[in-house]
Amino acid sequence: MPGLSYEEIIAEPQSLVSDTELYGTLQKVFGFREFRPDQERIIRAILEKKDVFAVMPTGGGKSLCYQLPAVLLPGTCMVISPLISLMKDQVDSARSNGIHAAYLNSSLSAEEQSLVLNDLLSNSLDLLYAAPERFTLNHFQEMLGQVNISMVVIDEAHCISEWGHDFRPDYLSLSSLVTLFPAVPVTAFTATATHKVQQDILDKLKLRSPFIVRASFDRTNLFYDIRFKENISKQLVTLLKNNPNKAGIIYRTSRKSVNETATMLQAKGFRALPYHAGLNEDERKKNQEAFIRDEADVIVATIAFGMGIDKSNIRFVIHADLPKSIENYYQETGRAGRDGEPAQCIMLFSQSDIPKVRFFIDTIVDETERTRALTALQKVISFASTTVCRRKTLLDYFGETYPHDKCNSCDICLGTREVVDCTVEAQMLLSAIARTEERFGATHIVDIVIGSKNKKIYDFGHDRLKTWGVGKDRSKKFWRLLIDELLAQKVIAKSEGLYPALYFLEKAVPVLKNEAKVEMVRIQEKKTAKRKRIEETGTYDNDLFELLRALRKQLADEQGIPPYIVFSDRSLRDMAALLPRSPEDMLSVSGVGEVKLQRYGKQFLDLIRRYCEEHPEQTKQP
Ligand code: ADP
Ligand code: ZN
């Protein structure tokens, strides 16, 4: 072979694993028939001993990308993961599929640690999770020298970048991994990386001609919905009533509002618990555990919540206040529906929240930080105010072009927002602003339009204005809303200072002259038929589903693991739809591999059989 050196010939990718072996393991160990997008390419690259860098959204199925090769390759796969709580979850989940997995971190006693190290030294582990700081310990590095390491995984790789939102100095030491493990693939995974962060990660980790994958950030099972925030308590209660027994997170900005909302929901009989950094550690842990174990349905939390949890069956995420940035919004909503089942992301948005956030931003001392926060806020506001498909806007933010005009899975595309022409009403407001020489704030302008008889109106003689009382047949609230809308559409603006006055922007004059229209979005609170359909995809027996859920909970409690590790919501739904009668039937349920069949198959099959006997009509097989 002229022109090719010996090294190049042996470096030729060799397919070590046949399709039968690959798909066989997928089915046997994980219980899945197909790969999610990009999983197969990543796995094949790893099996060809290539370094890999993969950006995949939350719920994209990153774990499988390395757990499957970890099973197939001889030796131990080292996973570096930043969070203790996640390690345990990942290990529980791998073990539930029969994979030999363990973790090493400070939560283990010295005795437990030495047991794990023994397993490692005897090469009996497929997977070992460890925190990054361990790699700075010489004796740990030496020990790794004595074992057969099959590959290295850096989970949450964005933690190495100062540009990301989760920088961890510990992660910087990971740049020596490629020298420490010259002969095995080093792979890095993250769910959040703008192109800038991506480049930074690649530079810092020094991966060797890595196979790079940027999966689509489109979370197709998430429904994005932004609603007008009117009466937050009432809206939350309605939302929870519409989602009985479903797990969800409600994000709020302040600790105080978290407490208030949680207390309010508890008083209404919902299983809701608070979570924020002001609670003591025990309480935080207790509340988080209750949520993970399906004992509380709803967690009301500040953004301190979510990083350390892997709960896959979260069915809704509600932002009751403005998120800090689009990245935050994407990450926080991303915690819904990791299992791939439909989930809702609802933001309650009101222009009147903006001053509060501005106030906090103004207290940031560092100027660059302050500017960054302000720009981020403005992007969130324009995201919430736009009439373009939410999905398209979000993907656009991450530099991805959504190939369609409509996604049909957001409030904009489904047209659940009703647009009404408010040009005449806008003219009334603008006229009031003009006639008072752009010197008054929103409250006073509304008072003029509704014909208020308060002292300030008389003091200024504003009861003699032509616009005084022209809008008295509409509510104060309507006028406030319209002012918000005019601000959002940049028809008018608000001056800085203690008493901000409304003033004209360029667009105001054309509106007054009837040359431009003003439309306002009215949000219908009623469910549309279409939206209902999204929530109820697939036909399955709901009563049976609830029974299966109860059994899952019981088995999970017996073993001290979260319910979603026993079976995912998807698996239970499949069972309630397919009504498996035999172990073979059971294997065709998504997420049921051989180990899970052996562990839980009988109990679930018994329950299904009993249910079918008791409900012959409902469960007749076609
Ligand atoms: P990530 O770490 O990317 O957020 P996970 O690895 O936790 O995602 O996977 C999310 C969910 O998707 C898990 O419940 C997992 O079992 C499921 N999953 C992963 N791969 C597949 C697949 N090929 N088919 C069906 N479900 C899958
Ligand atoms: Zn859309």
Side-chain angles (χ1 to χ4, degrees), residues 9 14 46 66 69 83 165 234 306 327-328 354 392 428 450 464 483 504 570-571:
I9 296 168
Q14 354 164 330
I46 295 173
Y66 56 84
L83 292 162
H165 52 86
K234 208 167 133 197
E327 276 105 327
N328 277 83
I354 298 169
K392 205 178 170 70
M428 294 176 183
I450 61 169
R464 288 178 309 230
I483 289 185
F504 277 26
R570 171 69 199 270
S571 301

Side-chain angles (χ1 to χ4, degrees), residues 388-392 402 405-414:
V388 180
C389 165
R390 307 281 179 211
R391 185 164 264 106
K392 205 178 170 70
Y402 187 63
D405 280 340
K406 288 176 117 197
C407 75
N408 287 326
S409 197
C410 75
D411 57 330
I412 301 286
C413 291
L414 290 198

